[in-house]
Amino acid sequence: MSDRGQRDPLEEVELTSEMVFDGCLLKVRRDTVGLPDGKEGVREYVRHPGAVAIVAVLPDGGLIFERQYRYPLRRAFVEVPAGKIDPGEDILACAIRELREEAGYEAADWRHLGVMHPCIGYADERIELFLARELRHVGNALDEGEFLELLTLSPDEAEAAVHDGRITDGKTIAALFRALPLLRG
Amino acid sequence: MSDRGQRDPLEEVELTSEMVFDGCLLKVRRDTVGLPDGKEGVREYVRHPGAVAIVAVLPDGGLIFERQYRYPLRRAFVEVPAGKIDPGEDILACAIRELREEAGYEAADWRHLGVMHPCIGYADERIELFLARELRHVGNALDEGEFLELLTLSPDEAEAAVHDGRITDGKTIAALFRALPLLRG
């Protein structure tokens, strides 16, 4: 994890790049790359605009979660509020927008917790993690075709829900990892 | 997070399903679905065979990590040993294989920590998390075209690396979330 200077010995160098699937939602590229041993390889990956995820703390200390149906896995998941970054959108502006649209809250105190990468093997997505405090309820406004249920868990309940498998969503676990010590500190 | 009986009110019902991209590595499906309000929607998602990720504890208490170049993000990441499940492969057999191939260790003590879902918005991937202890070095055997560097972090160093952003990989954070209390308990 040290500084390795200009060139990473593990680096893979782009030789060719093409869009091989341009869907309604997903964009896939296929690149040929030069590998560290001089051979060539193929890399296919999803291009993603990035997203935000928010640990939002109610005045009583409860954390806001959503239950959302996730079709790829054919079931609902318990997750923190989150959403995709619009083109050119500032990450904090995106977090403010998503917390209001999905959960119906504004927050007076925002803190950037860092970034996580959900799927480094086949997507370039990054998720910017935020902690939102001093919440005020303003009413939500879901996007067309968006359905979710809101629920609240205490920090202890949320931690237990990760350990007993009720929370398995990667971004939610990463957001809790970063936020829990701050909520207790 | 309660039992909601037979039918989830958030459920999206498959109407049609087709393979829209069948790549060398990625398979993408596009389904039309019936939404909870009776309208129709489109869902595109990556089909994935599933994977394992392993928190492996050396006799001195150090945890094994790998530095691997992840082309979609054009840089190397610090991760726990992990790999895709082969068709029909048992998840523990896969974990045993990946720890030996990538890190060069066998473990006498295996514990399944649970499952995490890296990318619930557009992939059906699940990652089965394991804790491996009582390690014995046997020498690694990387797959053709696989390049990585091994490193060791103590549990405290690994936790600090998540908090300071040196570790941002979702599966690694989830594996540490589940394993750290057991390593300290």
Side-chain angles (χ1 to χ4, degrees):
Chain A
M1 300 177 82
S2 57
D3 180 21
R4 284 157 193 282
Q6 301 290 66
R7 176 84 180 257
D8 190 321
L10 298 172
E11 186 178 350
E12 299 173 354
V13 181
E14 176 184 315
L15 300 175
T16 67
S17 179
E18 60 172 326
M19 172 90 85
V20 284
F21 176 68
D22 186 6
C24 312
L25 312 162
L26 292 186
K27 318 289 176 195
V28 179
R29 296 196 76 85
R30 179 190 292 144
D31 294 8
T32 55
V33 300
L35 298 173
D37 63 1
K39 293 183 178 166
E40 289 190 14
V42 175
R43 299 287 179 258
E44 286 172 352
Y45 56 101
V46 171
R47 293 294 309 268
H48 192 283
V52 302
I54 306 136
V55 176
V57 189
L58 292 164
D60 69 359
L63 310 180
I64 296 175
F65 290 86
E66 303 173 353
R67 213 173 65 86
Q68 252 193 295
Y69 197 82
R70 295 303 196 162
Y71 182 79
L73 287 144
R74 302 290 201 281
R75 69 172 183 85
F77 283 81
V78 174
E79 321 167 30
V80 291
K84 276 204 278 282
I85 302 168
D86 284 339
E89 188 177 32
D90 172 75
I91 59 171
L92 175 57
C94 178
I96 291 169
R97 179 176 59 73
E98 289 290 350
L99 184 61
R100 191 175 52 230
E101 287 178 1
E102 293 194 348
Y105 284 89
E106 288 181 356
D109 179 19
W110 284 92
R111 175 165 176 174
H112 185 228
L113 296 174
V115 67
M116 65 86 66
H117 295 92
C119 199
I120 59 181
Y122 57 89
D124 68 353
E125 182 179 7
R126 79 187 201 278
I127 302 181
E128 301 284 351
L129 307 175
F130 286 91
L131 179 62
R133 289 186 277 202
E134 300 182 28
L135 298 191
R136 187 170 66 92
H137 191 254
V138 295
N140 60 359
L142 294 177
D143 286 341
E144 170 79 16
E146 193 169 38
F147 306 92
L148 56 84
E149 297 171 358
L150 296 172
L151 65 153
T152 304
L153 297 173
S154 72
D156 285 351
E157 287 169 337
E159 184 172 27
V162 175
H163 285 296
D164 67 22
R166 280 173 297 155
I167 291 176
T168 61
D169 169 45
K171 69 178 177 303
T172 298
I173 296 172
L176 289 171
F177 196 118
R178 298 292 293 260
L180 285 174
L182 299 172
L183 299 177
R184 288 162 176 167
Chain B
M1 304 176 79
S2 56
D3 180 21
R4 285 157 192 281
Q6 301 291 66
R7 175 83 181 257
D8 190 321
L10 298 172
E11 185 178 350
E12 299 173 355
V13 180
E14 177 184 317
L15 301 175
T16 67
S17 179
E18 61 173 325
M19 172 89 85
V20 287
F21 176 67
D22 186 6
C24 312
L25 312 161
L26 291 185
K27 318 289 176 193
V28 179
R29 295 196 77 84
R30 179 190 291 146
D31 294 7
T32 55
V33 301
L35 299 173
D37 63 1
K39 292 182 179 166
E40 289 189 15
V42 175
R43 299 286 180 260
E44 286 171 353
Y45 56 100
V46 171
R47 294 295 309 271
H48 192 284
V52 302
I54 305 135
V55 175
V57 190
L58 292 164
D60 69 357
L63 309 180
I64 296 176
F65 289 87
E66 303 173 354
R67 212 173 67 85
Q68 251 193 295
Y69 197 81
R70 294 304 196 161
Y71 182 79
L73 287 144
R74 302 292 202 280
R75 70 173 182 82
F77 283 81
V78 173
E79 320 167 32
V80 291
K84 276 204 276 286
I85 302 168
D86 285 338
E89 189 178 29
D90 171 75
I91 59 171
L92 175 57
C94 178
I96 290 170
R97 178 176 59 74
E98 289 291 349
L99 184 62
R100 191 177 51 230
E101 286 178 3
E102 292 194 347
Y105 282 89
E106 288 181 354
D109 178 19
W110 284 92
R111 176 167 174 171
H112 185 229
L113 296 174
V115 66
M116 66 86 67
H117 295 92
C119 199
I120 59 180
Y122 56 89
D124 69 352
E125 183 179 5
R126 78 187 202 279
I127 302 181
E128 303 284 351
L129 308 174
F130 286 91
L131 179 63
R133 290 188 276 204
E134 300 182 28
L135 297 192
R136 188 170 65 94
H137 191 256
V138 293
N140 61 359
L142 295 176
D143 285 342
E144 170 80 17
E146 192 170 39
F147 305 91
L148 56 86
E149 296 171 358
L150 295 172
L151 65 153
T152 304
L153 298 173
S154 72
D156 285 352
E157 288 170 337
E159 184 172 27
V162 175
H163 286 295
D164 67 21
R166 280 173 297 154
I167 290 177
T168 62
D169 169 45
K171 69 178 177 301
T172 298
I173 296 172
L176 289 170
F177 196 118
R178 298 293 294 261
L180 285 174
L182 298 172
L183 299 178
R184 286 157 176 170

Coordinates of all heavy atoms in Angstrom, one line a residue, chain A residues 17-63:
Chain A
S17 N -10.7 -0.2 -27.5 CA -11.8 0.0 -26.6 C -13.1 0.1 -27.5 O -13.0 0.9 -28.5 CB -11.7 1.2 -25.7 OG -12.8 1.3 -24.9
E18 N -14.1 -0.6 -27.3 CA -15.4 -0.4 -28.0 C -16.6 -0.6 -27.1 O -16.5 -1.4 -26.2 CB -15.5 -1.3 -29.3 CG -15.4 -2.8 -28.9 CD -15.7 -3.7 -30.1 OE1 -16.5 -3.3 -31.0 OE2 -15.2 -4.8 -30.2
M19 N -17.6 0.1 -27.4 CA -18.9 -0.1 -26.8 C -19.6 -1.3 -27.4 O -19.8 -1.3 -28.6 CB -19.8 1.2 -27.0 CG -21.2 1.0 -26.5 SD -21.4 1.5 -24.8 CE -21.7 3.2 -25.0
V20 N -19.8 -2.4 -26.6 CA -20.3 -3.6 -27.2 C -21.8 -3.8 -26.8 O -22.5 -4.6 -27.4 CB -19.5 -4.8 -26.8 CG1 -18.2 -4.9 -27.5 CG2 -19.3 -4.9 -25.3
F21 N -22.3 -3.1 -25.8 CA -23.7 -3.1 -25.5 C -24.2 -1.7 -25.0 O -23.6 -1.2 -24.0 CB -24.1 -4.2 -24.5 CG -25.5 -4.2 -24.1 CD1 -26.5 -4.6 -25.0 CD2 -25.9 -3.8 -22.8 CE1 -27.8 -4.6 -24.6 CE2 -27.2 -3.8 -22.4 CZ -28.2 -4.2 -23.3
D22 N -25.1 -1.1 -25.7 CA -25.6 0.2 -25.4 C -27.1 0.1 -25.1 O -27.9 0.3 -25.9 CB -25.3 1.2 -26.5 CG -25.7 2.6 -26.2 OD1 -26.0 2.8 -25.0 OD2 -25.7 3.4 -27.1
G23 N -27.4 -0.3 -23.8 CA -28.8 -0.6 -23.5 C -29.5 0.6 -23.0 O -29.0 1.7 -23.0
C24 N -30.8 0.3 -22.5 CA -31.6 1.4 -21.9 C -30.9 1.9 -20.6 O -30.9 3.1 -20.3 CB -33.0 0.9 -21.6 SG -33.8 0.0 -22.9
L25 N -30.4 0.9 -19.9 CA -29.8 1.3 -18.6 C -28.3 1.0 -18.5 O -27.6 1.7 -17.9 CB -30.5 0.4 -17.5 CG -32.1 0.4 -17.6 CD1 -32.6 -0.8 -16.8 CD2 -32.6 1.7 -17.1
L26 N -27.9 -0.1 -19.1 CA -26.5 -0.6 -19.0 C -25.7 -0.3 -20.2 O -26.2 -0.5 -21.3 CB -26.4 -2.1 -18.7 CG -26.9 -2.5 -17.3 CD1 -26.6 -4.0 -17.1 CD2 -26.3 -1.7 -16.2
K27 N -24.5 0.2 -20.0 CA -23.5 0.4 -21.1 C -22.4 -0.6 -20.8 O -21.8 -0.5 -19.8 CB -23.0 1.8 -21.2 CG -24.1 2.9 -21.0 CD -25.0 3.0 -22.1 CE -26.1 4.0 -21.8 NZ -27.2 3.9 -22.8
V28 N -22.0 -1.4 -21.8 CA -20.9 -2.3 -21.6 C -19.8 -2.0 -22.6 O -20.1 -1.9 -23.8 CB -21.3 -3.8 -21.8 CG1 -20.2 -4.7 -21.6 CG2 -22.4 -4.1 -20.7
R29 N -18.6 -2.0 -22.2 CA -17.4 -1.8 -23.1 C -16.6 -3.1 -23.1 O -16.5 -3.8 -22.1 CB -16.5 -0.6 -22.7 CG -17.2 0.7 -22.8 CD -16.3 1.9 -22.7 NE -15.6 2.0 -24.0 CZ -16.0 2.7 -25.0 NH1 -17.2 3.4 -24.9 NH2 -15.3 2.8 -26.1
R30 N -16.0 -3.3 -24.2 CA -15.0 -4.4 -24.3 C -13.7 -3.8 -24.8 O -13.6 -3.3 -25.9 CB -15.4 -5.5 -25.2 CG -14.4 -6.7 -25.3 CD -14.7 -7.6 -26.5 NE -15.9 -8.4 -26.2 CZ -16.8 -8.7 -27.1 NH1 -16.7 -8.4 -28.3 NH2 -17.9 -9.4 -26.7
D31 N -12.6 -4.0 -24.0 CA -11.3 -3.4 -24.3 C -10.3 -4.6 -24.4 O -10.5 -5.6 -23.7 CB -10.8 -2.5 -23.2 CG -11.6 -1.2 -23.1 OD1 -12.7 -1.1 -23.7 OD2 -11.2 -0.3 -22.3
T32 N -9.4 -4.4 -25.3 CA -8.2 -5.3 -25.2 C -7.1 -4.6 -24.5 O -7.0 -3.4 -24.7 CB -7.7 -5.8 -26.6 OG1 -7.5 -4.6 -27.4 CG2 -8.8 -6.6 -27.3
V33 N -6.4 -5.3 -23.7 CA -5.4 -4.7 -22.8 C -4.1 -5.4 -22.9 O -4.0 -6.6 -23.2 CB -5.8 -4.7 -21.3 CG1 -7.2 -3.9 -21.2 CG2 -6.0 -6.1 -20.8
G34 N -3.0 -4.6 -22.7 CA -1.7 -5.2 -22.6 C -1.5 -5.6 -21.1 O -1.6 -4.8 -20.2
L35 N -1.1 -6.9 -20.9 CA -1.0 -7.4 -19.5 C 0.5 -7.2 -19.0 O 1.4 -6.9 -19.8 CB -1.3 -8.9 -19.5 CG -2.8 -9.2 -19.8 CD1 -3.0 -10.7 -19.9 CD2 -3.7 -8.5 -18.8
P36 N 0.7 -7.3 -17.7 CA 2.1 -7.1 -17.2 C 3.1 -8.0 -17.8 O 4.3 -7.7 -17.9 CB 1.9 -7.4 -15.7 CG 0.5 -7.0 -15.4 CD -0.3 -7.4 -16.6
D37 N 2.7 -9.2 -18.3 CA 3.7 -10.2 -18.9 C 3.9 -9.9 -20.4 O 4.5 -10.7 -21.1 CB 3.3 -11.6 -18.6 CG 2.0 -12.0 -19.2 OD1 1.3 -11.2 -19.9 OD2 1.5 -13.2 -19.0
G38 N 3.2 -8.9 -20.9 CA 3.4 -8.5 -22.3 C 2.3 -9.2 -23.2 O 2.2 -8.9 -24.4
K39 N 1.5 -10.1 -22.7 CA 0.5 -10.7 -23.4 C -0.7 -9.8 -23.5 O -0.7 -8.7 -22.9 CB 0.1 -12.1 -22.8 CG 1.2 -13.1 -22.9 CD 0.8 -14.5 -22.3 CE 1.9 -15.5 -22.5 NZ 1.7 -16.7 -21.7
E40 N -1.7 -10.2 -24.3 CA -3.0 -9.4 -24.4 C -4.1 -10.1 -23.6 O -4.2 -11.3 -23.6 CB -3.3 -9.2 -25.9 CG -2.4 -8.3 -26.6 CD -2.9 -7.9 -27.9 OE1 -4.1 -8.1 -28.2 OE2 -2.1 -7.3 -28.7
G41 N -5.0 -9.3 -23.1 CA -6.2 -9.8 -22.5 C -7.4 -9.0 -22.9 O -7.3 -8.0 -23.6
V42 N -8.6 -9.5 -22.6 CA -9.9 -8.9 -22.9 C -10.6 -8.5 -21.6 O -10.6 -9.3 -20.6 CB -10.8 -9.8 -23.7 CG1 -12.2 -9.2 -23.9 CG2 -10.2 -10.2 -25.0
R43 N -11.1 -7.3 -21.5 CA -11.8 -6.8 -20.3 C -13.1 -6.3 -20.8 O -13.2 -5.4 -21.6 CB -11.0 -5.7 -19.6 CG -9.6 -6.1 -19.1 CD -9.7 -7.0 -17.9 NE -8.4 -7.4 -17.4 CZ -7.9 -8.6 -17.6 NH1 -8.6 -9.5 -18.3 NH2 -6.8 -9.0 -17.1
E44 N -14.2 -6.8 -20.2 CA -15.6 -6.3 -20.5 C -16.1 -5.7 -19.2 O -15.9 -6.4 -18.1 CB -16.5 -7.5 -20.9 CG -16.2 -7.9 -22.3 CD -17.0 -9.1 -22.7 OE1 -17.7 -9.7 -21.8 OE2 -17.0 -9.5 -23.9
Y45 N -16.7 -4.6 -19.2 CA -17.1 -3.9 -18.0 C -18.2 -2.9 -18.2 O -18.4 -2.4 -19.3 CB -15.9 -3.2 -17.3 CG -15.2 -2.2 -18.2 CD1 -15.5 -0.9 -18.0 CD2 -14.3 -2.6 -19.2 CE1 -14.8 0.1 -18.9 CE2 -13.7 -1.7 -20.0 CZ -13.9 -0.4 -19.8 OH -13.3 0.5 -20.7
V46 N -19.0 -2.7 -17.2 CA -20.1 -1.8 -17.2 C -19.6 -0.4 -16.9 O -18.9 -0.2 -16.0 CB -21.2 -2.2 -16.2 CG1 -22.3 -1.2 -16.0 CG2 -21.8 -3.6 -16.5
R47 N -20.1 0.5 -17.7 CA -19.8 1.9 -17.5 C -21.0 2.5 -16.6 O -22.1 2.3 -17.0 CB -19.7 2.8 -18.7 CG -18.5 2.4 -19.6 CD -17.2 2.8 -18.9 NE -17.1 4.1 -18.4 CZ -16.7 5.2 -19.1 NH1 -16.2 5.0 -20.3 NH2 -16.6 6.4 -18.5
H48 N -20.6 3.2 -15.5 CA -21.7 3.6 -14.6 C -21.3 5.1 -14.2 O -20.2 5.4 -14.0 CB -21.7 2.7 -13.4 CG -22.9 2.9 -12.5 ND1 -23.0 4.0 -11.6 CD2 -24.0 2.2 -12.3 CE1 -24.1 3.9 -11.0 NE2 -24.7 2.9 -11.3
P49 N -22.4 5.9 -14.1 CA -22.1 7.3 -13.8 C -21.7 7.6 -12.3 O -21.3 8.7 -12.0 CB -23.4 8.0 -14.1 CG -24.5 6.9 -13.9 CD -23.8 5.7 -14.3
G50 N -21.7 6.6 -11.5 CA -21.5 6.8 -10.1 C -22.7 7.0 -9.3 O -23.8 7.3 -9.9
A51 N -22.7 6.9 -8.0 CA -23.9 7.0 -7.1 C -23.5 7.5 -5.8 O -22.3 7.7 -5.5 CB -24.5 5.6 -7.0
V52 N -24.5 7.9 -5.0 CA -24.3 8.3 -3.6 C -25.1 7.3 -2.7 O -26.1 6.7 -3.2 CB -24.8 9.7 -3.4 CG1 -24.0 10.7 -4.2 CG2 -26.3 9.8 -3.5
A53 N -24.7 7.2 -1.5 CA -25.5 6.4 -0.5 C -25.3 7.2 0.8 O -24.3 7.8 1.1 CB -24.9 5.0 -0.3
I54 N -26.4 7.2 1.6 CA -26.5 8.2 2.7 C -26.9 7.4 4.0 O -28.0 6.8 4.0 CB -27.6 9.2 2.4 CG1 -27.3 9.9 1.1 CG2 -27.7 10.2 3.6 CD1 -28.5 10.1 0.2
V55 N -26.2 7.6 5.1 CA -26.6 7.2 6.4 C -27.2 8.4 7.0 O -26.6 9.4 7.3 CB -25.4 6.7 7.3 CG1 -25.8 6.4 8.7 CG2 -24.7 5.5 6.6
A56 N -28.6 8.4 7.2 CA -29.3 9.6 7.6 C -29.8 9.3 9.0 O -30.5 8.3 9.3 CB -30.5 9.8 6.7
V57 N -29.5 10.2 10.0 CA -29.7 10.0 11.4 C -30.9 10.9 11.8 O -30.8 12.1 11.8 CB -28.5 10.4 12.2 CG1 -28.6 9.9 13.7 CG2 -27.2 9.7 11.6
L58 N -32.0 10.2 12.3 CA -33.1 11.0 12.8 C -32.8 11.6 14.2 O -31.8 11.1 14.9 CB -34.3 10.0 12.9 CG -34.9 9.5 11.6 CD1 -35.8 8.3 11.8 CD2 -35.6 10.6 10.9
P59 N -33.6 12.5 14.6 CA -33.3 13.2 15.9 C -33.3 12.2 17.1 O -32.5 12.4 18.1 CB -34.5 14.1 16.1 CG -34.9 14.5 14.7 CD -34.7 13.2 13.9
D60 N -34.0 11.1 17.0 CA -33.9 10.1 18.1 C -32.8 9.1 17.9 O -32.6 8.1 18.7 CB -35.2 9.3 18.2 CG -35.5 8.4 17.0 OD1 -34.6 8.3 16.1 OD2 -36.5 7.7 17.0
G61 N -31.9 9.3 17.0 CA -30.7 8.5 16.7 C -31.0 7.3 15.8 O -30.1 6.6 15.4
G62 N -32.2 7.1 15.4 CA -32.5 6.1 14.4 C -32.0 6.4 13.1 O -31.9 7.5 12.7
L63 N -31.7 5.3 12.3 CA -31.1 5.5 10.9 C -32.2 5.1 9.9 O -33.0 4.2 10.1 CB -29.9 4.6 10.7 CG -28.8 4.7 11.8 CD1 -27.7 3.7 11.5 CD2 -28.3 6.1 12.0

